[in-house]
Amino acid sequence: MDFNLTTALVTVGQLFIGALYVYGGLNHFGPAAEKIVPVLTARGVPMPRQSLYAASVFQVACGACLMLGIAVVPAAIGLVVFTLAASLVMVNFWDLPPGETRDLLQGVFASNVAIIGGLLVVIAQVL
């Protein structure tokens, strides 16, 4: 079997992006939930703890699919939608006055946009 650099790079990229989601999702079942649930409550998310856990299970499952190369396109599409929704709910820098917190959240939002871009590249490689 010949070495294919493109395939190797896509595989490593899927592993890294998938790991980001698996790690983040699993983290929501620990102490991080106590910081996230009040934010979800303040943003009017119904059943905030249950919503967090359901979204986290989805996040972990889709991330694992990317890492394992299983149902890559549906998993990546799911993570695009998840990341966009989570960014709009949790990273609302536009509602904050100018300052350090707004700048930080604006950077997080930009990073999420870049991650969405990476997911779109994964989808394009698989199609």
Side-chain angles (χ1 to χ4, degrees), residues 9-95:
L9 292 173
V10 169
T11 301
V12 171
Q14 284 177 215
L15 283 169
F16 285 171
I17 294 172
L20 174 76
Y21 285 99
V22 169
Y23 174 78
L26 291 175
N27 207 28
H28 294 158
F29 292 98
E34 301 314 314
K35 294 177 183 176
I36 298 170
V37 169
V39 175
L40 294 173
T41 301
R43 303 267 165 56
V45 173
M47 301 186 319
R49 185 172 302 277
Q50 294 83 350
S51 294
L52 173 63
Y53 291 159
S56 298
V57 167
F58 179 80
Q59 176 180 356
V60 169
C62 288
C65 283
L66 276 187
M67 293 177 75
L68 298 171
I70 300 169
V72 171
V73 171
I77 291 170
L79 289 172
V80 165
V81 173
F82 168 84
T83 304
L84 184 58
S87 295
L88 292 173
V89 172
M90 297 296 292
V91 192
N92 62 329
F93 69 89
W94 49 87
D95 287 338

Side-chain angles (χ1 to χ4, degrees), residues 95-119:
D95 287 338
L96 300 174
E100 191 174 322
T101 302
R102 181 185 174 120
D103 292 345
L104 175 70
L105 289 179
Q106 195 168 7
V108 171
F109 191 88
S111 295
N112 287 352
V113 170
I115 292 166
I116 289 171
L119 289 164

